[in-house]
């Protein structure tokens, strides 16, 4: 009898819970994991402590995600002792990296299954192996797998994420991703196109293409396709209403890509363009391969060619070589680009990165710069959102608002978060909303 048959009844009534840390790529990996668990017979539940299969899908990009994981896993020690049948698993970037993995192996005996970002497809076998032996199972592979076609659960029945490439070859001095996710590898165009066509034929309206560095798609691949060409091809799939992508590196933002966004209505007018620092000196230290001038030229070109475009960014404050003057350059770029939103981070030394060897800046100085950065950018976001007042925008309604079920939230093509009073039957539909109000982070209005 094969193991699948042997454990056929084991999963009856069993539940699972996944806690995901980190980026969109990890969220998407969790969607793939959840599909595998549901195929076995597990049902999803919200209450982590009640679940029979508890998984943490981990992130290593900043230290706080790492520390949070250790805390949360430790809190399950007692639970596992009282209910030894529960299965506790840890996956993701932390497990892909030897130092962090060793902490879980040595100090967290309550963890039963450990697997890496490249072993998701073997999860069912890992669970069977654990059930057979009742001993800890570890599966970490460093080889890139060609995930040409994988099944996954989507967040709802109108939005989906599609991987187009994995890994990163940029080696920014502070970043652990090249270590945890490995070298860049692009998925075959035909496989991506098949997947998006399939999603659209099943009624999906919005697709987001995912990769650490989507605009280097196709580099060094054995096929001939650039990111702008791929994006344009996908945008021509009939019935696809909205096409998004993330993340892009400023050094690879070509005029061709700007033209493709400009000329295809269903490619959203939203661009995430990570700045990291506004100082050319710090950018050089970070190995970002662009300087302030080049960045500003690219960002302003986006605004000039596509006036309605919204631009967001990532900023790191307190990189070890950042002086007050360098920090002022970051503020200057924010004023010039007038970002619509930003993800802001304090520098966090990560193991095995070049920047981890440098002497860090005093916490109080970093905190002060961080506060001043927010004081500069929040009013800019507010002003950007204020420009929407009086306009009528098309919104894809996504969910009920957390605080008030009568209010629905959705997004514009420019990724603005919209609050509007509407019947929840409209979730998954495009509606027109006249904007009447705003904050730095949301716009709101009435259905028309
Ligand atoms: N410290 C702080 N922020 C970091 N990021 C990546 N590595 C670090 C680090 N060591 C930020 C960058 C990146 C985003 C995903 O996380 O801004 O764009
Ligand atoms: Fe990290 Fe730089 Fe690659 Fe982004 S481009 S994943 S910051 S190494």
């Amino acid at each position: 009898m094969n193991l699948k048959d042997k454990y056929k009844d084991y999963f009856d009534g069993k539940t699972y819970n996944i806690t995901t840390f980190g980026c969109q790529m990890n969220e998407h990996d969790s969607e793939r994991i959840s599909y595998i668990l549901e195929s076995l017979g597990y049902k999803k539940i919200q209450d982590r402590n009640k679940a029979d299969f508890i998984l943490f899908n981990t992130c290593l990009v900043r230290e706080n995600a790492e520390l949070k994981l250790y805390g949360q896993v430790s809190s399950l020690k007692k639970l596992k002792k009282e209910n030894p049948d529960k299965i506790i698993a840890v996956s993701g970037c932390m497990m892909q990296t030897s130092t962090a993995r060793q902490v879980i192996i040595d100090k967290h005996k309550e963890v039963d299954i450990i697997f890496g970002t490249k072993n998701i497809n073997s999860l069912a076998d890992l669970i069977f192996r654990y059930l057979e032996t009742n001993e800890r199972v570890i599966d970490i592979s460093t080889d890139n797998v060609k995930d040409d076609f994988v099944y996954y659960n989507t967040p709802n029945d109108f939005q989906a994420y599609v991987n187009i490439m994995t890994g990163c070859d940029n080696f920014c001095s502070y970043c652990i991703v090249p270590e945890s996710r490995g070298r860049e590898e692009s998925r075959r165009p035909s496989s991506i196109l098949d997947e998006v066509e399939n999603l659209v034929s099943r009624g999906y309206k919005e697709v987001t293409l995912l990769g650490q560095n989507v605009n280097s798609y196709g580099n060094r691949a054995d096929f001939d396709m650039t990111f702008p060409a791929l994006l344009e091809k996908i945008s021509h799939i009939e019935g696809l209403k909205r096409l998004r992508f993330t993340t892009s590196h400023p050094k690879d933002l070509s005029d061709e890509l700007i033209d493709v966004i400009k000329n295809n209505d269903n490619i959203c007018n939203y661009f995430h363009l990570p700045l990291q620092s506004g100082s050319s000196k710090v950018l050089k230290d970070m190995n970002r391969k662009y300087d302030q001038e080049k960045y500003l030229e690219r960002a302003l070109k986006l605004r000039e060619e596509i006036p309605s475009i919204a631009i967001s960014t990532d900023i790191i404050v307190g990189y070890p070589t950042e002086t007050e003057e360098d920090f002022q350059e970051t503020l200057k770029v924010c004023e010039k680009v007038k970002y619509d939103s930003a993800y802001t981070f304090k520098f966090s030394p990560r193991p095995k990165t070049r920047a981890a060897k440098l002497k860090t800046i005093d916490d109080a100085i970093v905190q002060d710069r961080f506060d001043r950065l927010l004081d500069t950018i929040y009013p800019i976001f507010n002003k950007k959102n204020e420009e929407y007042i009086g306009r009528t925008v098309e919104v894809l309604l996504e969910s009920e608002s957390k605080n008030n079920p009568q209010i629905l939230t959705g997004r514009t093509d420019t990724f603005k978060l919209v609050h509007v009073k509407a019947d929840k039957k409209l979730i998954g539909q495009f509606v027109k909303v006249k904007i009447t109000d705003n904050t730095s982070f949301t716009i709101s209005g009435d259905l028309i």
Side-chain angles (χ1 to χ4, degrees):
M1 186 160 56
N2 70 27
L3 292 173
K4 212 169 176 173
D5 289 336
K6 180 171 171 191
Y7 289 101
K8 193 162 60 58
D9 299 326
Y10 168 85
F11 299 101
D12 282 352
K14 292 262 190 308
T15 55
Y16 76 96
N17 176 278
I18 303 179
T19 306
T20 309
F21 296 90
C23 65
Q24 283 305 340
M25 262 60 72
N26 259 17
E27 292 284 348
H28 188 55
D29 284 351
S30 292
E31 292 170 357
R32 295 166 54 193
I33 293 169
S34 113
Y35 180 87
I36 294 170
L37 295 174
E38 288 179 20
S39 306
L40 288 171
Y42 281 111
K43 300 261 177 317
K44 185 176 188 163
I45 58 166
Q46 297 301 333
D47 186 345
R48 180 163 70 205
N49 288 351
K50 291 211 175 101
D52 300 295
F53 185 94
I54 302 172
L55 173 84
F56 295 91
N57 191 12
T58 62
C59 169
L60 205 53
V61 165
R62 286 170 296 276
E63 193 181 17
N64 44 7
E66 189 178 344
L67 299 178
K68 214 158 132 190
L69 174 89
Y70 297 139
Q72 295 196 5
V73 175
S74 294
S75 74
L76 297 181
K77 265 197 176 111
K78 195 163 150 256
L79 198 71
K80 174 77 185 173
K81 240 196 187 124
E82 289 164 5
N83 308 272
D85 290 344
K86 279 187 193 291
I87 302 178
I88 300 179
V90 183
S91 64
C93 291
M94 271 177 71
M95 297 307 98
Q96 205 67 44
T97 310
S98 55
T99 34
R101 180 167 70 239
Q102 212 52 44
V103 175
I104 293 290
I105 292 176
D106 296 342
K107 298 201 179 138
H108 294 273
K109 303 287 179 210
E110 66 280 15
V111 176
D112 305 307
I113 299 179
I114 295 172
F115 61 103
T117 51
K118 295 166 185 184
N119 308 83
I120 294 174
N121 293 348
S122 337
L123 177 58
D125 292 335
L126 305 184
I127 294 175
F128 291 136
R129 234 160 80 194
Y130 174 74
L131 292 173
E132 282 287 288
T133 61
N134 210 23
E135 279 181 18
R136 177 184 266 181
V137 176
I138 302 176
D139 193 14
I140 310 291
S141 145
T142 49
D143 297 339
N144 270 356
V145 277
K146 276 247 182 283
D147 278 332
D148 268 355
F149 193 84
V150 287
Y151 289 96
Y152 50 87
N153 287 337
T154 52
N156 51 47
D157 57 8
F158 51 92
Q159 292 173 304
Y161 295 91
V162 172
N163 266 337
I164 65 164
M165 50 100 62
T166 54
C168 183
D169 288 354
N170 286 319
F171 291 93
C172 300
S173 64
Y174 51 83
C175 185
I176 199 155
V177 167
E179 158 87 13
S180 64
R181 289 264 169 177
R183 296 289 66 70
E184 270 176 26
E185 195 173 354
S186 300
R187 191 174 155 193
R188 280 186 304 114
S190 57
S191 158
I192 299 168
L193 285 158
D194 284 351
E195 184 169 321
V196 180
E197 271 167 15
N198 178 279
L199 287 163
V200 174
S201 72
R202 283 155 56 206
Y204 284 83
K205 295 173 177 163
E206 181 180 287
V207 166
T208 305
L209 307 178
L210 290 181
Q212 296 294 347
N213 188 11
V214 286
N215 44 21
S216 63
Y217 175 84
N219 286 359
R220 294 186 297 96
D222 56 9
F223 53 77
D224 191 17
M225 177 79 77
T226 62
F227 180 62
L230 177 76
L231 191 67
E232 181 147 52
K233 257 190 186 313
I234 297 175
S235 80
H236 290 167
I237 293 175
E238 194 148 336
L240 178 60
K241 297 276 190 294
R242 278 185 179 176
L243 180 56
R244 301 188 185 280
F245 56 88
T246 196
T247 292
S248 307
H249 193 299
K251 78 177 165 57
D252 301 315
L253 168 49
S254 62
D255 286 345
E256 192 191 352
L257 179 56
I258 298 177
D259 283 345
V260 169
I261 301 170
K262 184 175 166 179
N263 297 332
N264 293 280
D265 282 348
N266 59 354
I267 303 178
C268 291
N269 286 345
Y270 168 70
F271 208 105
H272 184 65
L273 192 65
L275 169 69
Q276 313 301 3
S277 168
S279 150
S280 296
K281 182 202 88 195
V282 174
L283 286 169
K284 189 155 197 288
D285 294 347
M286 286 177 164
N287 191 30
R288 287 293 286 174
K289 304 181 184 99
Y290 55 86
D291 58 12
Q292 184 196 85
E293 192 185 352
K294 167 94 195 285
Y295 182 95
L296 280 174
E297 186 276 320
R298 291 287 81 192
L300 298 178
K301 175 97 187 219
L302 266 176
R303 289 230 186 270
E304 183 188 313
E305 291 290 325
I306 313 169
S308 65
I309 205 157
I311 304 179
S312 62
T313 199
D314 291 343
I315 296 172
I316 299 176
V317 175
Y319 186 79
T321 59
E322 182 186 82
T323 62
E324 175 59 27
E325 290 68 38
D326 294 318
F327 173 67
Q328 291 294 334
E329 294 298 305
T330 299
L331 297 183
K332 196 165 108 189
V333 174
C334 292
E335 302 274 8
K336 285 199 170 152
V337 178
K338 300 192 174 52
Y339 293 109
D340 291 82
S341 64
Y343 301 89
T344 48
F345 310 103
K346 292 182 207 159
F347 170 73
S348 162
R350 306 313 292 131
K352 297 190 187 164
T353 60
R354 272 204 292 119
K357 299 190 185 80
L358 305 173
K359 189 175 171 310
T360 53
I361 300 177
D362 190 70
D363 279 351
I365 295 176
V366 178
Q367 185 62 47
D368 175 61
R369 286 183 195 162
F370 192 78
D371 293 343
R372 283 187 287 142
L373 174 66
L374 300 190
D375 287 346
T376 303
I377 57 181
Y378 285 179
I380 297 175
F381 303 163
N382 193 58
K383 216 158 169 199
K384 279 269 153 195
N385 285 348
E386 209 175 89
E387 289 171 10
Y388 278 73
I389 291 183
R391 280 197 216 161
T392 297
V393 290
E394 185 167 59
V395 177
L396 176 57
L397 293 174
E398 291 176 9
S399 58
E400 289 175 8
S401 144
K402 275 194 206 95
N403 308 325
N404 180 352
Q406 290 193 323
I407 303 285
L408 299 187
T409 65
R411 297 227 180 231
T412 62
D413 152 89
T414 54
F415 210 58
K416 296 281 172 189
L417 189 64
V418 183
H419 286 195
V420 60
K421 195 168 168 199
D423 193 306
K424 70 169 188 236
K425 282 202 307 265
L426 290 173
I427 290 176
Q429 306 290 322
F430 285 99
V431 294
K432 292 253 182 330
V433 178
K434 178 144 196 211
I435 301 304
T436 55
D437 219 342
N438 77 289
T439 68
S440 291
F441 311 102
T442 59
I443 55 177
S444 54
D446 305 312
L447 272 190
I448 60 163

